[in-house]
């Protein structure tokens, strides 16, 4: 049986951490985060969210390594 591709409009709520805006935790409502490379974890309840900008390109605040 072939599997259908994921249809984002039909799969439900998918919260993600956005680097450019305030992010309240979906678990406790607070907004203190430990931000890693691919996920952000709430400092209070431990809920983890994927970071929306994971393209691999440097973010505007990141420094680029000298070649």
């Amino acid at each position: 049986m072939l599997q259908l591709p994921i249809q984002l409009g039909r799969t439900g709520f998918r919260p993600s951490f956005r680097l450019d805006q305030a992010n309240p935790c979906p678990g406790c409502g607070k907004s203190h985060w430990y931000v890693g490379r691919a996920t952000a974890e709430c400092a209070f309840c431990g809920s983890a969210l994927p970071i929306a900008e994971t393209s691999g390109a440097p973010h505007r605040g990141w420094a680029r390594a000298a070649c």
Side-chain angles (χ1 to χ4, degrees):
M1 182 166 113
L2 296 174
Q3 292 193 0
L4 298 174
I6 295 173
Q7 297 176 356
L8 293 178
R10 296 183 180 187
T11 56
F13 178 64
R14 293 184 177 194
S16 62
F17 186 87
R18 305 215 181 264
L19 295 171
D20 59 346
Q21 57 185 268
N23 294 284
C25 176
C28 67
K30 297 182 180 177
S31 59
H32 296 288
W33 298 91
Y34 296 119
V35 180
R37 292 183 184 194
T39 61
E41 182 179 345
C42 178
F44 292 97
C45 71
S47 296
L49 297 178
I51 296 177
E53 294 87 6
T54 56
S55 65
H59 187 260
R60 63 180 169 254
W62 297 352
R64 182 177 283 206
C67 295

